[in-house]
Amino acid sequence: MSKELIRLQDLCMAYDDEQVLDHLNLYINDQEFLTLLGPSGCGKTTTLRIIGGFVTPTSGDVFFDGVRINDVPPYQRKINTVFQKYALFPHLNVFENVAFGLRLKKVPEKELRQRVMEMLEVVSLKGFENRKPDALSGGQQQRVAIARALVNRPKVLLLDEPLGALDLKLRKDMQIELKKIQQQVGITFIYVTHDQEEALTMSDTIVVMDGGHIQQIGTPEDIYNEPKNAFVADFIGESNIIDGVMPRDKVVKMYGREFACLDGGFAENEPVDVVIRPEDIDIVPVEQGQLVGTVTSVTFKGMQYDIIVDFRGFKWLIQTTDHSPVGARIGVKIDPDGFHIMKKSQYSGMFGDYSSYSEEYDELSDAEALDAEEDTDAQRREDGYAE
Amino acid sequence: MKKNGVVSRLLLAVMFLFLYAPIFVLIIFSFNDSKSTAVWNGFTLNWYVELFQNRAVMSALRTTLLVSVLATAIATVAGTAAAIGFYSMRRRSRTACLAVNNIPLTNADVITGVSMMLLFVFVGQGLSAFSNWLNGLQWVEDANLWFDFSFSLGFGTLLIAHITFDIPYVILSVLPKLRQLDPNLAEAAQDLGATRFVAFWKVVLPELMPGIVNGMLIAFTMSIDDFVISYFTAGSQVSTLSMVVYSMVRRQISPEIKALSTLMFVAVLILLVIINLRQARQESAAARRRHAAARQP
Ligand SMILES: Nc1ncnc2c1ncn2[C@@H]1O[C@H](COP(=O)(O)OP(=O)(O)OP(=O)(O)O)[C@@H](O)[C@H]1O
Ligand SMILES: [Mg+2]
């Protein structure tokens, strides 16, 4: 399980003068389900295309099983790809699409037939052999694309947002299906997505990328519970990110008050970003609260209520199963393990502030819009401290 | 409103009359049992029989078919390659190349024909001067060699001219198919173990095929149909069918010509119908696919 299969070393990629990948270092283990996660344009597809051999990196090396493969053409790599838009061959039927790779390898007809049919069974497409791709639904086309790649028994399967074109229900089904297939055939999957939930449910390892840099590598639990910076914290799930300082180990100071936490190892009075997940905040009666605020908005989300609470001008998102009406004064309590302390980074102050709350607050933050509001936010925050 | 409809319909009828009356007269009188183009004397196929016994006509038919088939084949290969080349260029140079490609299409045939003839004559004379110069050299004489690169207008120049004016049509029919092509298709084939060449052959070419066949049919029609450019570039020894018609008409309007013209009209008409049907079918298939794609999430 833990044998290293692919290593990307100091990988750089530039188109014209635009630096798309900036000194990427990453190794991928055999039989691992690894996900590249990041916003649009962060270089996920480019990384995948370098591994597949469709583009040559500007500098840096790609190793496969310890051998440098920079100059090996795609057709000689033991890697197959499921393309973002499937790229099925329109003039061939499903059977011939899946058989394409085997025919090129001159696999005997009998074995070929058997392997193709087996693979169609794995992706539950038996009976569709004679259909042309344009007579299939999106989900079926997607499964043909997977079968076409897997039938060659690659050591690695690259998948570029393979579920991007499917509706929510089908996506969920296919996520489970894909994970099952991966365990069944026991090969490495390198999966690209910008959907954090998809990444969390399917992956063994998640690589969070932004702007051509790797922000964090870790298991889904690591990434969720111990985000390395404000970008990761914001990108993975909802989070409140608050400015704070660390007066000493295991104590964090926000809004002029000290809270117990579990982190340490910072310089004395080092400014930090404090991440608090909305579900780690408990609502308690006012007199028991570590902080007291006013509810400004309540949204019913099925499993829970999303509540926005105003703490002297700074708004937090809280997820709770208890209903509190708008305008109510409530106290909140956060256990020490609910605080995640991060060093300041270039992303500090860009995310996790719900004072600009709108109906779309759970969509990806728009960095530009946030920039414009930064001044006023900072102002309000300072006002909050002064009181 | 209603009156308006009647008027426009009348206009349409007059227009069609003007367009097609001459051809219908021609067709009808090609079956007339007399040399007259005014009096109907009864039905006959004699003119057609005579036509097929006319040596000049038959030899022109052979020339026309041969030059059209050869020019179409060569232009199809060259045009497809050119279209792919254009497509892989950067936007600026592609636009420039397309503009250059379109000029011969809009240029008057006479100009194309005359300029080609002049070019052929110029190159022919140049080469003959070059051969003379070579033959005058001492070492050539010593080696007992004799060069003759000169050529005059004939089947070769006719063929080159046809290839030249056929190529733009092929390019224009292949380019839209290239634009529709999913750029990942060739990569997908390479991913599955195909070299670049095999990927092109097995995946890209089949996708371009409808456009290539359209271009081929259009080029063939243009070659069969052409008179002006052939007239200037074929020289005095070789004639195509339309050139035969022209030279016969200059002597007298024989009923054979009516028969020949009828046959040529029908042949080109059939080709045009095939091309239009193919294009209509491809468009509706593309629309269906777009529709299906739009319906899918
Ligand atoms: N062929 C190319 N020429 C020039 N720039 C390119 C090319 N391919 C990608 N880029 C640029 O590289 C950057 C990263 O692109 P990439 O396709 O890797 O992003 P991505 O993370 O896959 O995004 P998405 O989630 O939208 O697919 C983008 O800014 C893009 O504009
Ligand atoms: Mg992408």
Side-chain angles (χ1 to χ4, degrees):
Chain A
M1 175 79 193
S2 58
K3 186 173 147 282
E4 175 186 310
L5 190 62
I6 294 179
R7 175 181 285 274
L8 307 180
Q9 198 162 305
D10 249 353
L11 214 58
C12 289
M13 184 70 207
Y15 286 113
D16 302 324
D17 283 332
E18 190 196 348
Q19 189 79 15
V20 176
L21 295 181
D22 198 3
H23 295 280
L24 219 64
N25 283 294
L26 178 66
Y27 67 90
I28 299 155
N29 287 332
D30 200 15
Q31 302 194 7
E32 187 175 17
F33 195 121
L34 180 130
T35 300
L36 300 176
L37 175 67
S40 191
C42 72
K44 307 181 296 287
T45 300
T46 308
T47 310
L48 216 59
R49 286 170 61 80
I50 289 175
I51 299 174
F54 300 110
V55 288
T56 326
T58 323
S59 68
D61 295 315
V62 184
F63 293 95
F64 186 92
D65 239 350
V67 184
R68 185 171 174 279
I69 56 164
N70 283 36
D71 306 316
V72 177
Y75 61 87
Q76 285 174 357
R77 299 191 180 191
K78 285 185 204 134
I79 298 172
N80 284 114
T81 310
V82 176
F83 289 84
Q84 197 158 1
K85 286 183 223 113
Y86 316 144
L88 297 180
F89 307 131
H91 64 290
L92 299 177
N93 63 22
V94 169
F95 185 93
E96 287 304 324
N97 260 284
V98 177
F100 193 89
L102 298 181
R103 288 215 190 282
L104 286 173
K105 291 189 195 76
K106 307 244 178 328
V107 172
E109 184 68 25
K110 198 166 151 230
E111 186 195 338
L112 176 141
R113 193 150 281 281
Q114 188 196 337
R115 275 170 72 175
V116 171
M117 294 316 280
E118 259 172 37
M119 200 38 77
L120 285 177
E121 180 127 32
V122 170
V123 297
S124 21
L125 274 179
K126 260 214 156 135
F128 288 85
E129 300 90 81
N130 296 321
R131 294 254 196 120
K132 285 282 176 68
D134 60 0
L136 296 175
S137 76
Q140 289 163 344
Q141 289 182 25
Q142 202 263 342
R143 280 178 282 166
V144 177
I146 292 172
R148 183 179 71 174
L150 281 180
V151 78
N152 302 292
R153 299 182 184 153
K155 298 204 84 166
V156 179
L157 188 66
L158 309 178
L159 303 103
D160 192 354
E161 305 202 28
L163 308 181
L166 307 181
D167 65 31
L168 192 66
K169 171 88 175 61
L170 200 51
R171 265 180 103 104
K172 299 268 178 221
D173 293 347
M174 284 306 300
Q175 285 173 9
I176 298 166
E177 194 89 354
L178 268 179
K179 185 77 197 172
K180 214 173 75 193
I181 291 173
Q182 191 247 347
Q183 282 158 353
Q184 199 174 330
V185 293
I187 60 169
T188 310
F189 271 38
I190 304 179
Y191 192 94
V192 162
T193 182
H194 59 249
D195 180 337
Q196 44 106 358
E197 217 180 293
E198 196 166 292
L200 290 174
T201 26
M202 298 173 78
S203 324
D204 299 322
T205 305
I206 296 180
V207 178
V208 184
M209 292 175 67
D210 185 49
H213 294 270
I214 292 179
Q215 302 296 336
Q216 189 169 359
I217 305 176
T219 63
E221 290 83 4
D222 282 349
I223 301 253
Y224 189 85
N225 292 330
E226 299 297 333
K228 256 200 186 134
N229 60 33
F231 175 82
V232 178
D234 182 75
F235 201 79
I236 311 285
E238 298 287 346
S239 38
N240 300 291
I241 305 175
I242 301 122
D243 285 327
V245 291
M246 291 289 284
R248 54 190 179 276
D249 278 358
K250 308 209 170 180
V251 173
V252 61
K253 195 168 161 189
M254 309 182 297
Y255 302 139
R257 288 198 43 184
E258 292 191 348
F259 298 84
C261 67
L262 300 179
D263 300 74
F266 294 87
E268 196 178 314
N269 281 326
E270 183 176 338
V272 290
D273 286 330
V274 183
V275 173
I276 305 168
R277 295 289 185 190
E279 69 272 18
D280 289 341
I281 305 173
D282 294 326
I283 296 182
V284 293
V286 173
E287 54 279 8
Q288 291 169 28
Q290 291 168 304
L291 286 166
V292 175
T294 314
V295 177
T296 60
S297 141
V298 180
T299 317
F300 181 59
K301 279 289 170 79
M303 291 288 287
Q304 89 273 353
Y305 293 98
D306 278 11
I307 297 180
I308 305 283
V309 181
D310 188 336
F311 295 105
R312 292 184 260 172
F314 194 91
K315 299 194 179 179
W316 288 19
L317 173 70
I318 298 177
Q319 287 171 346
T320 168
T321 48
D322 306 323
H323 178 77
S324 304
V326 173
R329 298 277 294 166
I330 56 168
V332 298
K333 194 169 148 299
I334 305 149
D335 290 334
D337 64 359
F339 294 97
H340 307 291
I341 314 295
M342 310 178 303
K343 281 198 185 301
K344 285 280 177 190
S345 68
Q346 51 164 342
Y347 295 104
S348 296
M350 282 168 65
F351 301 106
D353 180 359
Y354 289 92
S355 55
S356 56
Y357 165 72
S358 68
E359 290 301 322
E360 295 86 32
Y361 66 87
D362 54 357
E363 294 209 350
L364 279 185
S365 303
D366 184 332
E368 259 179 352
L370 282 173
D371 276 348
E373 285 163 14
E374 216 164 36
D375 288 347
T376 52
D377 284 345
Q379 192 62 43
R380 232 179 285 158
R381 235 169 281 175
E382 274 165 30
D383 291 348
Y385 284 139
E387 271 177 38
Chain B
M1 194 63 198
K2 193 161 187 198
K3 205 171 164 196
N4 215 342
V6 173
V7 170
S8 67
R9 235 176 272 173
L10 207 72
L11 274 175
L12 197 69
V14 171
M15 197 189 80
F16 272 115
L17 194 71
F18 270 108
L19 273 179
Y20 288 104
I23 290 170
F24 275 114
V25 170
L26 181 105
I27 292 176
I28 290 166
F29 280 92
S30 71
F31 298 108
N32 191 6
D33 197 4
S34 102
K35 292 202 165 187
S36 164
T37 314
V39 191
W40 181 255
N41 270 10
F43 181 85
T44 179
L45 284 175
N46 274 350
W47 306 123
Y48 287 87
V49 176
E50 263 181 48
L51 184 69
F52 283 102
Q53 284 160 357
N54 185 326
R55 297 264 300 280
V57 170
M58 282 299 108
S59 124
L61 175 66
R62 260 197 308 280
T63 309
T64 304
L65 285 180
L66 194 63
V67 84
S68 302
V69 167
L70 282 178
T72 304
I74 297 170
T76 304
V77 175
T80 305
I84 292 168
F86 282 9
Y87 187 70
S88 53
M89 283 175 180
R90 280 164 185 275
R91 176 166 236 98
R92 287 269 299 279
S93 30
R94 189 197 313 174
T95 323
C97 281
L98 273 179
V100 172
N101 179 58
N102 286 343
I103 291 172
L105 295 177
T106 46
N107 214 354
D109 278 0
V110 187
I111 308 217
T112 311
V114 169
S115 55
M116 279 201 177
M117 178 185 76
L118 288 179
L119 179 74
F120 291 141
V121 170
F122 173 77
V123 173
Q125 283 174 354
L127 282 179
S128 113
F130 180 61
S131 321
N132 285 341
W133 175 76
L134 272 181
N135 293 331
L137 290 175
Q138 193 56 48
W139 67 267
V140 175
E141 262 177 57
D142 291 348
N144 215 357
L145 287 171
W146 180 255
F147 291 103
D148 186 8
F149 296 130
S150 69
F151 68 91
S152 49
L153 297 181
F155 186 81
T157 53
L158 181 69
L159 180 62
I160 294 174
H162 274 240
I163 293 170
T164 314
F165 75 72
D166 280 345
I167 285 179
Y169 293 103
V170 178
I171 293 179
L172 279 191
S173 357
V174 176
L175 267 181
K177 286 281 159 234
L178 273 167
R179 278 195 210 101
Q180 290 166 17
L181 192 71
D182 177 352
N184 282 337
L185 278 188
E187 284 182 355
Q190 287 181 54
D191 188 73
L192 294 168
T195 59
R196 277 163 157 266
F197 178 75
V198 172
F200 174 79
W201 192 253
K202 291 211 158 181
V203 174
V204 177
L205 206 58
E207 286 303 296
L208 300 182
M209 223 29 171
I212 295 176
V213 172
N214 278 351
M216 202 172 80
L217 286 171
I218 295 173
F220 189 71
T221 313
M222 290 297 155
S223 276
I224 295 266
D225 214 25
D226 176 71
F227 165 68
V228 179
I229 297 174
S230 305
Y231 183 76
F232 283 106
T233 53
S236 51
Q237 306 298 313
V238 187
S239 308
T240 64
L241 276 180
S242 42
M243 287 162 70
V244 165
V245 172
Y246 180 70
S247 65
M248 283 161 80
V249 168
R250 278 207 301 191
R251 270 177 269 132
Q252 64 167 130
I253 303 187
S254 74
E256 273 177 11
I257 293 183
K258 294 174 200 153
L260 180 55
S261 307
T262 302
L263 288 180
M264 287 171 70
F265 172 73
V266 171
V268 171
L269 187 72
I270 290 174
L271 279 170
L272 285 178
V273 167
I274 293 177
I275 293 170
N276 279 321
L277 281 181
R278 282 178 56 86
Q279 277 172 351
R281 226 187 19 233
Q282 280 160 27
E283 258 157 45
S284 70
R288 246 202 332 274
R289 206 164 309 150
R290 265 199 308 280
H291 186 70
R295 250 183 330 147
Q296 279 161 16

